[in-house]
Amino acid sequence: MSIDIAHEASFRILTSLRWTYAAGPSDFGPKGQPEESDDILHLHRERFLESAKALEFGGLSKQLDGERGLKLLRTKIQDHLSLKHGERPSFVSTYKIRVAIARSGDFDVSSLLLESIAITNYTPSNLIPRSLAESTSNVVSCVVYVDSAPIEPSVFTRHKTTYRQPYDEARSRVEILNAGPTQAEVLIWNSHGEVMEASLCTPYFLRVGGWITPRAESGGNIGVSRTMAISKGICKEGIVMKRDLMDGEIIWLSNAVRGFFRGRVSLTGIADSVNT
């Protein structure tokens, strides 16, 4: 896949995160919540730096370098929230924040109000033990399909950008294009039969020895929630083969907005109601 896509005027590198906007004198500061801590923001900044290097956004690397760069990212989010939602909101609100950066270095920040999401969903101390894998299946709300065709790993699957064509096509093939990530997902895989990731989330699979997430070499995105899970010892990287997936298998999924939630693999059938 040609890197020229990254030089199109509309192309952006992205990250998304959850942000709680609260009333009071410390509106924008860390509120003791993981999504607002400097550690989490640092991981998103590092994600941008890795993407900038891979996609030849040379100027951005300088913009976001060091403490000055971290402050710039926080300030861009703060300024957007203040402008769009007011400097002193009357109640605590949680938003999905999307930060898109152009090759020129211009920032585009947008926000979407979210329903309340429990903090315990965001940084679990562990994943689901083997002994509970079947007994908890009746509370799983996300159906996880498997794409019918392989996807070619590229710089655009390894980094989050506005180029979403491979993911949109995968979601279309299983008829979940308009479904939310906690409602329906699709696992994508490469020509070697290795699961790369899910279209909107990082997946985690229970295998011999514990929980694993697809290794970086398989070609998937290195998301912030994935980085957190590995650093906290929740999982390890490994090879997950498409042929080893089981119908009804309970897995975990995560992203930096929704946190961690359960899914159930479906090897048969196509979604008939998730888009309604």
Side-chain angles (χ1 to χ4, degrees), residues 77-109:
I77 296 172
Q78 292 174 348
D79 288 349
H80 163 80
L81 288 171
S82 179
L83 180 64
K84 184 171 181 180
H85 304 290
E87 292 188 1
R88 214 169 269 277
S90 58
F91 56 90
V92 175
S93 300
T94 301
Y95 294 93
K96 173 185 176 180
I97 301 294
R98 179 182 183 268
V99 183
I101 308 180
R103 183 173 296 277
S104 64
D106 291 337
F107 282 69
D108 178 21
V109 182

Side-chain angles (χ1 to χ4, degrees), residues 147-203:
D147 196 6
S148 59
I151 287 180
E152 178 185 359
S154 73
V155 69
F156 302 108
T157 61
R158 293 183 174 93
H159 299 273
K160 187 172 183 177
T161 75
T162 49
Y163 181 70
R164 293 285 306 171
Q165 182 177 333
Y167 301 100
D168 290 343
E169 290 176 349
R171 293 178 68 82
S172 292
R173 282 191 286 267
V174 295
E175 301 180 11
I176 62 166
L177 186 58
N178 298 316
T182 59
Q183 189 178 17
E185 252 292 12
V186 57
L187 298 173
I188 64 174
W189 46 282
N190 61 30
S191 59
H192 300 292
E194 297 180 21
V195 175
M196 297 164 57
E197 57 177 319
S199 64
L200 298 172
C201 302
T202 295

Side-chain angles (χ1 to χ4, degrees), residues 12 18 25 33 41-42 68 72 81 85 90 103 109 121 127 129 132 134 153 161 188 190 206 212 214 252 257 261 263:
R12 301 288 188 274
R18 189 173 69 189
Q33 308 294 350
L41 205 58
H42 171 77
R68 186 175 179 179
L72 173 64
L81 288 171
H85 304 290
S90 58
R103 183 173 296 277
V109 182
N121 287 349
L127 293 180
L132 298 181
E134 293 185 6
T161 75
I188 64 174
N190 61 30
L206 185 60
I212 64 172
W252 279 80
V257 175
F261 53 96

Side-chain angles (χ1 to χ4, degrees), residues 16-20 35 85 91-97 111-117 122 181 255-259:
S16 297
L17 63 154
R18 189 173 69 189
W19 193 283
T20 299
E35 71 272 29
H85 304 290
F91 56 90
V92 175
S93 300
T94 301
Y95 294 93
K96 173 185 176 180
I97 301 294
S111 57
L112 176 68
L113 183 65
L114 295 172
E115 72 278 13
S116 177
I117 304 172
Y122 199 79
N255 65 37
V257 175
R258 297 288 175 177

Side-chain angles (χ1 to χ4, degrees), residues 18 117-118 120-124 126-128 139-144 171 180-186 198 200-204 211 225 250-264:
R18 189 173 69 189
I117 304 172
T120 52
N121 287 349
Y122 199 79
T123 52
N126 52 61
L127 293 180
I128 183 170
V139 299
V140 178
S141 60
C142 183
V143 182
V144 184
R171 293 178 68 82
T182 59
Q183 189 178 17
E185 252 292 12
V186 57
L200 298 172
C201 302
T202 295
Y204 307 87
W211 289 91
S225 62
I250 302 301
I251 68 172
W252 279 80
L253 299 156
S254 74
N255 65 37
V257 175
R258 297 288 175 177
F260 292 78
F261 53 96
R262 295 180 182 91
R264 183 192 295 109

Side-chain angles (χ1 to χ4, degrees), residues 184-243:
E185 252 292 12
V186 57
L187 298 173
I188 64 174
W189 46 282
N190 61 30
S191 59
H192 300 292
E194 297 180 21
V195 175
M196 297 164 57
E197 57 177 319
S199 64
L200 298 172
C201 302
T202 295
Y204 307 87
F205 303 85
L206 185 60
R207 296 293 184 263
V208 176
W211 289 91
I212 64 172
T213 192
R215 62 176 186 168
E217 292 82 358
S218 295
N221 202 289
I222 307 301
V224 167
S225 62
R226 177 188 188 277
T227 300
M228 289 171 53
I230 293 174
S231 68
K232 291 178 179 295
I234 292 172
C235 68
K236 296 180 179 180
E237 286 189 305
I239 298 175
V240 180
M241 299 302 296
K242 172 178 171 283
R243 65 172 179 264

